[in-house]
Amino acid sequence: MTALENSLAASGTAGRPRLVVVGNGMVGHHFVEQMLGAAVPFAITVIGAEPRPAYDRVHLSEVFAGRAPAELALTTREFYQEAGVEAHFGDPVVSIDREARTVTTQGGRRFGYDKLVLATGSFPFVPPVPGADSNGCFTYRTIDDLGEIRAAAAKARRGVVVGGGLLGLEAANALRNLGLETHVVEFAPQLMGVQVDPEGGAILRSQIEALGISIHTGKNTQRIVAGEELPLAMHFADGEVLETDLIVFSAGVRPDDKLARDADIKIGERGGIVIDYRCRTSDSDIYAVGECALWGGKIFGLVAPGYQMAKVAASALTGGDLSFHGADMSTKLKLLGVDVGSIGDSHARSEGALCYRVVDERAGIYKKLVVSADGERLLGAVLVGDNALYDTLLQYCLNGIKLPAQPLSLIAPSGGEVVALGPDSLPETATICSCHNVSKGDICCQIDSGVTALSDIKSATKASTGCGGCAALLKTVVDSELAKRGVAVNNHLCEHFAYSRQELFHLIKVGGIHTFEELVARHGQGLGCDICKPTAASIFASLDNEHVLDKPHVGLQDTNDTFLANMQKDGTYSVVPRIAGGEITADKLIVLGQVAKKYNLYTKITGGQRIDLFGARLNELPLIWEELIAAGFETGHAYGKSVRTVKSCVGSTWCRYGQQDSVSMALRIEHRYKGLRSPHKLKFAVSGCTRECAEAQSKDIGVIATDKGWNLYVCGNGGMRPRHADLFATDLDDDTLIRYIDRLLMFYIRTADRLQRTSVWLENLEGGLDYLRSVVIDDSLGLGAELEAQMEHVVSTYVCEWKVAVEDPEKRKRFRQFVNSDAEDQQVVFVTDREQIRPATPAEKRELATVA
Amino acid sequence: MSCDFIACHVTDLVEYSGVCALVNGQQVALFYLPMRNPKIYAIDNFDPIGAANVLSRGIIGELRGELVVASPLYKQHFSLTTGRCLEDETVAVRVWPAEISNGLVRVGHPQQSLIESAA
Ligand code: SRM
Ligand SMILES: Cc1cc2nc3c(=O)[nH]c(=O)nc-3n(C[C@H](O)[C@H](O)[C@H](O)COP(=O)(O)OP(=O)(O)OC[C@H]3O[C@@H](n4cnc5c(N)ncnc54)[C@H](O)[C@@H]3O)c2cc1C
Ligand code: SF4
Ligand code: FES
């Protein structure tokens, strides 16, 4: 048998038409997926040049930020096998014989086809500069490229990216993540010329320079030779020289059309396989989809249009009637932490187009609207530094929604009239998810057929499962549509309680309820869940302050509370003793060292002025705590929704600027509120003067000394969404300060939502800061005495939870790894790094297992 | 389904919560719901998403009528009766037959997980 007959026999086509797909990138794979459900049963063969099945190229850069390459996989060999698709990887197709209807691979295999689909994507363009192929020069498109760049970066100090477009800036971010001094060299006078106009480009440039990346625009690289100090030297046309360890070329991509070109299929003037509105090439048995295809004189270098082509080609092959009519090329990204958005005709090339611009150089924000000559429709937009308006503007543009009379009001800084486009004003045809082409109508359809959970709508329509950029819009649309249909978008805690946390607090308090069983019996239903149980436990603790491991409460707690320690990624725990105010004696430091050494714990100074010991096994926790308690330590509640630390500066006892004794005040506050359970964690700080070394204005409760007493700041937050605390009252004496804090915290505990920090609570509190002042300072609700008494109860019933736990054999039983064995968890494996332990990575575990 | 391995005593269990037992070298999470029928549920202790032996330390609950444990690591819910992960249909843990008799907790051989049996 000839090779051809061989492969034909092997593929067992048995009368089915043979479909060969060349290229297994994002679009090629999407196409195969479309074909799998199709009515016409093709015998499908996939041939990919890369050694692995399709993966998510769009999120390639996340690998530099720590994501495992394997997580990018879009499919597996097994998936294809089970679906009956014959797939070959790592062996590119080198020629098409249109007469014989075969393709041949580099490895000499030949495959016959009845229909052929080219999904070969594009390849990175490397400018024809002498020396561009030197050692240390790379491109950036595949997982393999990424591995090579990473290996080179490990030995490098400086890296240069050639190309200041979208991908170039992404590559620059990658180099920066790898710890290199990063430069971007761009031929054009501005960054991201394709998407953004020159003014937007300038703002983008200053934002990126502020991150420490050097930008060189208007630079024409003439040659690359060996450098004097570093391995490579780039010589520019203007005579300047830049030396570097490595260079990544990211100067654009070119459609990979060689196969088609060699087979005399029609190619565009500047490359790209010409296709019609059904994705057919000049040979009616051959289709092209994705970045290799040229439609209407344009290449579409984004996944969303590629996916549309994949659908259209699949439809064409299976008797459907979908067609391709171009695609929207709007993009929204976060490049190096800077928002960039470009919509429609961003360069205002349409006839008669008018522009509106807003520039805030200080904040690094640029917004531009491109509007039709009659001022009625949005044709395009550019956003730099703030993408909040992107979704709204995109909808205006795509759906031709009539603009407000003053289009500028859309982008004017707040103060002007805010004309946000509610989900209601979108037509049914509005595209919500462009990756998967899901319209508002599609979503309504799902809701009308009874699918109401956001996650179910996502899996039914695939919306928001591509680039993820539409997630926020999808949620608003779903919420609004549910509300319209009378499906309550409610504040109910969960399916077991038709109440908000605040209502539940009230019911528990007024009803004198002390256990979860009683609470469910009287006000809820079912068994409860991981939302309502910890919420109820927290309310019981705020009111009753019983031990969290007492029998009625034990099953209610999150693992961190149950075991009085924070669980780490490998199932071990951390130990954080309280070090009030950050003050610690030498003797206690020594004990911490001894305990850490004895139990081989990883030791770290935390961001909260204390010491964290990591890597304790469940059964070791009581043993460790026994020793710590004997040395005078108590629990630090690092595990609970409760008081964390009171950070302090050294204050007037030592510091020449200190106005008051900030350490004493920090100790007083910490010892008063330690153990207090609340809707979320609480952090405090006390600074001895206005220099604010304790950063009190970033805390829930911040105290700053003045020459007359204390200034109280409230509801600050670091973390995910930082908020400066508000000045609440000035020049307070010690006792007034404490009274205000008592009242404020108890009022927060009563009224806040679950997992709501004080910052968000205040922002949602009707009447805001003034109302809070009236409740706490003027006692406008007449609640003052009650709030103080409640706090006094918590303070006076404080016991160290760990002390109680280690002394009670029943409670200690909880800390057995296995109820029937003293063995250790074999899955917990440590390796040594920088002279301390850390959890082994999965790869290290496998390696250790094979050695053993 | 014969449960021939004695895992522990009923008094080793914690009401409305979980403990872990070692059965032939494998870790089994045992959950005790004294007011339910059956009272005892057993699944793998290994959380395939968090990749650690922690499921016995999660909170037990009920979602849309299904008994579940919430993984303490990343909070996915696993059914105590089928082992299915509610958030990701490609993931499941094994369910072990279990029973209480004469104050002893017995378990049998684990059933293939839903994912393995589908493959
Ligand atoms: C250990 C520590 C990091 C360090 O190595 O320094 C740390 C570690 C954790 N932080 Fe933190 N945070 C630590 C200081 C901070 C700080 C800085 C500070 O307190 O001055 C912040 C920002 C300040 C703030 O909270 O406003 C901080 C903001 C967060 C947040 C975001 C909170 C927010 O409102 O946005 C979380 C997530 C959460 O609570 O939901 C978090 C959650 C966590 C958790 C509990 C995550 C988890 O569930 O495993 C980590 C537990 C580690 C452990 O086992 O002990 N951690 N975390 C710090 C412990 C301080 C201490 O002694 O208690
Ligand atoms: C770092 C990076 C970030 C990006 N970010 C975004 C983004 O945010 N949003 C967005 O929409 N797009 C983004 N893109 C672009 C997006 O990845 C592409 O539009 C998409 O991958 C195109 O899919 P494709 O299948 O047409 O081509 P590709 O994904 O390139 O796949 C083509 C495949 O065909 C193979 N092949 C080529 N020739 C042959 C042959 N002769 N035989 C066999 N196989 C062959 C190639 O090896 C390749 O695996 C990004 C791209 C990169 C590199
Ligand atoms: S910032 Fe805090 S929560 Fe995040 S990894 Fe560091 S310690 Fe953990
Ligand atoms: S737009 Fe990309 S996932 Fe919806």
Side-chain angles (χ1 to χ4, degrees):
Chain A
M1 266 199 289
T2 65
L4 170 59
E5 283 160 342
N6 234 328
S7 74
L8 290 186
S11 58
T13 54
R16 285 183 291 163
R18 298 159 304 168
L19 172 65
V20 172
V21 186
V22 181
N24 193 235
M26 298 187 75
V27 175
H29 170 63
H30 196 75
F31 168 76
V32 174
E33 273 193 318
Q34 303 303 310
M35 291 302 292
L36 289 181
V40 184
F42 280 95
I44 304 174
T45 303
V46 170
I47 308 166
E50 289 186 68
R52 56 183 67 78
Y55 53 89
D56 183 355
R57 209 178 296 288
V58 170
H59 293 103
L60 196 58
S61 301
E62 288 176 15
V63 172
F64 290 111
R67 197 160 163 200
E71 283 175 36
L72 297 177
L74 293 174
T75 183
T76 59
R77 291 164 198 266
E78 292 73 32
F79 173 84
Y80 279 144
Q81 204 172 9
E82 271 161 35
V85 173
E86 185 184 336
H88 302 277
F89 301 104
D91 189 11
V93 170
V94 287
S95 64
I96 305 173
D97 182 339
R98 287 164 55 194
E99 231 148 80
R101 292 171 174 253
T102 58
V103 298
T104 306
T105 68
Q106 197 168 50
R109 285 189 282 191
R110 206 155 8 131
F111 300 88
Y113 68 80
D114 295 304
K115 301 283 176 191
L116 179 65
V117 172
L118 302 175
T120 46
S122 37
F123 61 89
F125 168 68
V126 177
V129 174
D133 54 355
S134 315
N135 258 337
C137 291
F138 303 94
T139 56
Y140 181 40
R141 183 156 182 100
T142 64
I143 287 187
D144 286 346
D145 291 341
L146 205 130
E148 288 174 21
I149 293 174
R150 192 140 62 166
K155 293 168 282 179
R157 184 171 67 79
R158 178 184 291 170
V160 175
V161 173
V162 177
L166 197 151
L167 288 183
L169 294 181
E170 233 187 271
N173 192 28
L175 293 189
R176 202 169 80 107
N177 276 335
L178 290 171
L180 299 192
E181 175 198 317
T182 305
H183 295 252
V184 174
V185 171
E186 166 63 49
F187 178 71
Q190 74 161 94
L191 294 177
M192 278 188 72
V194 178
Q195 291 86 2
V196 175
D197 65 4
E199 258 186 296
I203 298 250
L204 180 65
R205 175 188 184 133
S206 62
Q207 295 283 80
I208 291 176
E209 280 175 337
L211 298 170
I213 293 183
S214 308
I215 310 277
H216 314 264
T217 48
K219 287 273 185 258
N220 182 0
T221 313
Q222 286 198 316
R223 61 203 154 89
I224 298 167
V225 295
E228 281 168 21
E229 278 165 19
L230 297 178
L232 298 169
M234 305 172 69
H235 289 259
F236 302 119
D238 60 9
E240 277 187 34
V241 178
L242 178 61
E243 296 211 357
T244 179
D245 293 291
L246 64 91
I247 300 173
V248 177
F249 285 101
S250 193
V253 294
R254 295 288 182 268
D256 203 335
D257 55 17
K258 183 166 181 309
L259 279 180
R261 198 183 284 268
D262 292 349
D264 280 334
I265 293 168
K266 191 169 173 211
I267 301 292
E269 242 170 68
R270 289 195 319 241
I273 307 168
V274 175
I275 57 169
D276 65 9
Y277 67 99
R278 305 222 72 191
C279 298
R280 244 179 338 215
T281 67
S282 57
D283 177 332
S284 62
D285 287 327
I286 303 181
Y287 292 72
V289 292
E291 272 189 6
C292 63
L294 183 77
W295 182 91
K298 274 197 229 159
I299 298 276
F300 296 86
L302 293 174
V303 272
Y307 280 4
Q308 282 176 30
M309 290 181 199
K311 282 206 181 76
V312 170
S315 157
L317 284 167
T318 56
D321 55 8
L322 292 184
S323 51
F324 185 78
H325 295 285
D328 177 52
M329 291 292 283
S330 302
T331 27
K332 165 169 82 165
L333 340 125
K334 212 179 188 71
L335 283 172
L336 296 146
V338 182
D339 279 334
V340 181
S342 153
I343 294 173
D345 179 13
S346 57
H347 291 270
R349 296 202 175 111
S350 316
E351 210 180 310
L354 303 170
C355 292
Y356 295 85
R357 291 190 188 81
V358 169
V359 186
D360 179 344
E361 290 187 348
R362 180 129 189 238
I365 292 176
Y366 172 82
K367 299 177 191 167
K368 176 173 105 173
L369 298 181
V370 180
V371 171
S372 62
D374 59 7
E376 301 238 308
R377 311 277 165 223
L378 187 68
L379 302 176
V382 179
L383 298 169
V384 176
D386 178 6
N387 255 344
L389 278 173
Y390 180 89
D391 288 344
T392 302
L393 295 180
L394 182 63
Q395 295 302 334
Y396 269 108
C397 189
L398 292 182
N399 299 303
I401 298 171
K402 192 167 183 297
L403 284 170
Q406 288 296 330
L408 195 58
S409 66
L410 281 176
I411 51 172
S414 56
E417 168 199 5
V418 182
V419 197
L421 196 55
D424 265 0
S425 41
L426 300 178
E428 293 283 298
T429 51
T431 304
I432 304 301
C433 172
S434 44
C435 284
H436 292 288
N437 202 10
V438 182
S439 68
K440 180 174 163 189
D442 298 333
I443 291 162
C444 294
C445 228
Q446 292 295 330
I447 295 179
D448 288 333
S449 70
V451 185
T452 53
L454 186 60
S455 53
D456 296 342
I457 292 176
K458 275 190 196 168
S459 35
T461 60
K462 287 194 142 188
S464 187
T465 60
C467 71
C470 60
L473 182 64
L474 176 68
K475 184 170 184 318
T476 25
V477 169
V478 169
D479 282 352
S480 126
E481 289 302 314
L482 287 176
K484 257 203 261 172
R485 285 162 180 70
V487 181
V489 188
N490 56 44
N491 60 357
H492 297 177
L493 200 53
C494 63
E495 63 184 72
H496 307 104
F497 291 96
Y499 301 102
S500 68
R501 180 188 178 277
Q502 185 178 351
E503 290 162 340
L504 217 55
F505 186 98
H506 190 74
L507 291 171
I508 292 175
K509 181 168 170 292
V510 174
I513 299 173
H514 302 285
T515 66
F516 188 75
E517 269 179 324
E518 199 184 342
L519 183 65
V520 176
R522 287 176 56 181
H523 302 291
Q525 55 173 4
L527 197 67
C529 65
D530 53 312
I531 306 268
C532 57
K533 283 179 170 181
T535 305
S538 156
I539 298 175
F540 294 140
S542 302
L543 288 171
D544 305 338
N545 210 18
E546 289 174 15
H547 197 276
V548 286
L549 293 189
D550 280 352
K551 204 166 170 199
H553 307 310
V554 68
L556 306 181
Q557 315 284 352
D558 231 339
T559 190
N560 289 353
D561 275 293
T562 310
F563 298 103
L564 305 172
N566 277 329
M567 180 181 275
Q568 306 300 316
K569 61 199 293 180
D570 61 349
T572 64
Y573 290 88
S574 66
V575 171
V576 191
R578 191 164 289 291
I579 298 180
E583 186 180 76
I584 186 162
T585 61
D587 280 335
K588 280 193 165 171
L589 270 177
I590 290 170
V591 172
L592 285 181
Q594 283 166 338
V595 170
K597 201 162 176 176
K598 174 163 169 192
Y599 293 95
N600 190 23
L601 305 173
Y602 167 77
T603 309
K604 181 177 183 303
I605 310 275
T606 72
Q609 295 191 333
R610 45 190 189 173
I611 294 172
D612 202 339
L613 311 174
F614 293 85
R617 292 164 186 269
L618 191 56
N619 56 306
E620 292 175 332
L621 284 173
L623 302 171
I624 292 170
W625 276 104
E626 224 161 24
E627 297 197 22
L628 292 175
I629 289 165
F633 284 103
E634 54 181 357
T635 179
H637 292 101
Y639 43 82
K641 300 295 169 226
S642 53
V643 172
R644 291 292 155 82
T645 62
V646 182
K647 186 170 175 173
S648 86
C649 74
V650 63
S652 62
T653 36
W654 289 91
C655 177
R656 59 194 161 132
Y657 296 119
Q659 298 291 323
Q660 310 283 345
D661 182 357
S662 51
V663 178
S664 292
M665 181 50 82
L667 292 174
R668 180 167 171 191
I669 293 179
E670 184 147 356
H671 287 306
R672 182 167 181 81
Y673 303 112
K674 65 187 178 191
L676 176 68
R677 301 271 157 168
S678 48
H680 208 314
K681 59 190 170 195
L682 289 166
K683 298 185 175 183
F684 302 65
V686 184
S687 281
C689 83
T690 175
R691 286 172 191 72
E692 249 281 70
C693 298
E695 301 173 303
Q697 290 168 92
S698 67
K699 303 297 179 191
D700 298 274
I701 298 288
V703 177
I704 302 178
T706 67
D707 56 346
K708 297 187 204 62
W710 307 99
N711 283 353
L712 172 60
Y713 291 79
V714 301
C715 304
N717 206 161
M720 298 177 253
R721 202 177 56 93
R723 178 180 191 276
H724 267 280
D726 289 304
L727 181 58
F728 189 72
T730 53
D731 295 328
L732 305 174
D733 61 60
D734 290 13
D735 291 343
T736 310
L737 174 70
I738 296 293
R739 193 165 66 244
Y740 285 179
I741 301 177
D742 274 6
R743 290 182 177 183
L744 190 142
L745 288 181
M746 259 306 158
F747 189 56
Y748 159 66
I749 288 171
R750 277 192 176 201
T751 56
D753 225 340
R754 84 178 251 284
L755 299 184
Q756 190 174 44
R757 289 284 295 262
T758 55
S759 57
V760 182
W761 168 69
L762 178 61
E763 282 164 9
N764 288 311
L765 193 66
E766 228 171 285
L769 192 65
D770 289 336
Y771 173 69
L772 190 58
R773 280 206 190 97
S774 77
V775 173
V776 170
I777 302 178
D778 311 329
D779 198 9
S780 60
L781 299 179
L783 272 179
E786 187 184 329
L787 295 172
E788 282 170 46
Q790 238 166 40
M791 185 62 83
E792 201 50 50
H793 173 71
V794 173
V795 172
S796 64
T797 52
Y798 170 83
V799 281
C800 168
E801 292 168 346
W802 262 114
K803 185 158 189 298
V804 176
V806 296
E807 285 170 359
D808 178 345
E810 248 333 279
K811 294 196 168 91
R812 262 184 102 133
K813 264 173 70 178
R814 278 299 266 158
F815 296 90
R816 291 180 293 178
Q817 177 77 44
F818 303 114
V819 286
N820 59 350
S821 161
D822 290 331
E824 286 192 335
D825 182 352
Q826 298 299 322
Q827 194 65 33
V828 172
V829 182
F830 299 120
V831 294
T832 306
D833 213 348
R834 297 187 301 270
E835 297 168 57
Q836 298 207 65
I837 58 157
R838 66 160 169 80
T841 62
E844 287 167 341
K845 274 191 200 172
R846 278 193 299 275
E847 214 165 274
L848 288 168
T850 47
V851 173
Chain B
M1 71 169 205
S2 70
C3 295
D4 40 23
F5 191 94
I6 299 177
C8 62
H9 206 267
V10 177
T11 52
D12 288 319
L13 300 174
V14 182
E15 288 185 12
Y16 296 104
S17 186
V19 298
C20 180
L22 204 56
V23 175
N24 295 326
Q26 303 195 52
Q27 299 195 17
V28 189
L30 300 170
F31 301 95
Y32 184 37
L33 299 174
M35 305 295 285
R36 285 261 171 167
N37 184 21
K39 295 177 183 345
I40 182 89
Y41 299 83
I43 62 173
D44 287 338
N45 193 36
F46 187 73
D47 168 359
I49 295 174
N53 287 308
V54 295
L55 289 183
S56 60
R57 291 176 247 162
I59 299 183
I60 303 180
E62 193 180 22
L63 289 181
R64 298 184 190 174
E66 184 143 15
L67 278 182
V68 294
V69 61
S71 165
L73 274 174
Y74 303 115
K75 315 295 177 198
Q76 290 88 0
H77 299 92
F78 292 88
S79 163
L80 297 188
T81 48
T82 66
R84 198 168 65 92
C85 171
L86 268 50
E87 284 77 14
D88 183 347
E89 59 185 23
T90 67
V91 175
V93 295
R94 293 176 306 173
V95 175
W96 298 59
E99 63 189 33
I100 298 180
S101 61
N102 299 327
L104 294 175
V105 180
R106 296 163 181 275
V107 299
H109 293 280
Q111 288 153 7
Q112 253 191 358
S113 88
L114 286 178
I115 301 304
E116 285 163 1
S117 49

